[in-house]
Amino acid sequence: KQEVTQIPAALSVPEGENLVLNCSFTDSAIYNLQWFRQDPGKGLTSLLLIQSSQREQTSGRLNASLDKSSGRSTLYIAASQPGDSATYLCAVNLFIGNQFYFGTGTSLTVIP
Amino acid sequence: DAGVIQSPRHEVTEMGQEVTLRCKPISGHDYLFWYRQTMMRGLELLIYFNNNVPIDDSGMPEDRFSAKMPNASFSTLKIQPSEPRDSAVYFCASNQGGQPQHFGDGTRLSIL
């Protein structure tokens, strides 16, 4: 069974800092990996999806990388802002038509 | 696009009552997922459908839980009888195979 781990569980940084969130998975034979953010009391919002054939995806200040062989993905947030404060979750998909396996998330606080 | 629509947003009911949660997936999506989120257990997959057919219901806690998808635009998750330990936020999500998963805003369920 796929195990997905996110460390640290919580992170607090001052505004303007660049930061990296980590996601590790045990089965490297993944189909794709998706990053989400969740604001308190809200649903999950899709940020980026990386297919297994890709090494990275970028959207604005966000950059997600994927290293299948080592079972790792990172989400890089540039010039963090207080509005980035949320919980960030990663999820891996083993093959098309399969369920997504979610990590437990990293709670990010950006201090003004 | 209206996104994934869930109803009701909040439900408070007494133990033993029947609870029905509803979901309208994004048009054109052929996969639909039901999740449950709690502080203790995080995000758990309950069941998912492909083209209206249940594919994996191994996450359904017990026989008190049932889910149906009578057509491509509607799904229900039913709990009968409900118990206090069923209190959680229930999310519905949908996607096209291999594409990003999109979540609804969730139903916050409280069983008294």
Side-chain angles (χ1 to χ4, degrees), chain A residues 2-112:
Chain A
Q2 179 74 266
E3 300 282 342
V4 183
T5 305
Q6 292 186 250
I7 295 174
L11 182 64
S12 184
V13 300
E15 181 177 1
E17 192 163 295
N18 301 327
L19 59 99
V20 174
L21 305 179
N22 297 297
C23 173
S24 301
F25 45 93
T26 53
D27 188 339
S28 62
I30 66 169
Y31 187 79
N32 59 39
L33 182 147
Q34 191 169 359
W35 281 95
F36 297 85
R37 73 173 275 167
Q38 184 175 27
D39 295 287
K42 301 289 187 180
L44 280 68
T45 300
S46 178
L47 297 174
L48 291 163
L49 180 137
I50 310 177
Q51 302 290 353
S52 61
S53 58
Q54 299 174 314
R55 294 298 301 271
E56 64 178 57
Q57 280 280 7
T58 299
S59 176
R61 295 182 294 108
L62 306 179
N63 177 276
S65 68
L66 175 64
D67 184 344
K68 280 199 315 177
S69 61
S70 65
R72 293 176 59 186
S73 176
T74 61
L75 180 66
Y76 175 83
I77 302 177
S80 58
Q81 303 171 357
D84 295 330
S85 298
T87 296
Y88 291 80
L89 297 98
C90 66
V92 299
N93 192 218
L94 290 183
F95 54 86
I96 190 169
N98 188 246
Q99 64 173 331
F100 286 77
Y101 293 86
F102 279 83
T104 52
T106 294
S107 177
L108 172 67
T109 301
V110 180
I111 304 167

Side-chain angles (χ1 to χ4, degrees), chain B residues 36-44 85-90:
Chain B
R36 177 171 68 176
Q37 188 176 42
T38 61
M39 289 293 292
M40 291 295 294
R41 300 172 69 95
L43 197 65
E44 302 174 278
R85 61 193 167 116
D86 301 331
S87 297
V89 181
Y90 290 79

Side-chain angles (χ1 to χ4, degrees), chain B residues 78-95:
Chain B
K78 187 172 294 187
I79 308 172
Q80 167 63 22
S82 57
E83 297 182 4
R85 61 193 167 116
D86 301 331
S87 297
V89 181
Y90 290 79
F91 288 106
C92 177
S94 71
N95 76 335

Side-chain angles (χ1 to χ4, degrees), chain B residues 45-66:
Chain B
L45 176 69
L46 300 176
I47 185 172
Y48 76 98
F49 296 83
N50 176 220
N51 291 324
N52 314 336
V53 176
I55 302 300
D56 185 347
D57 65 354
S58 60
M60 296 286 262
E62 49 201 272
D63 292 345
R64 297 185 297 107
F65 286 68
S66 62

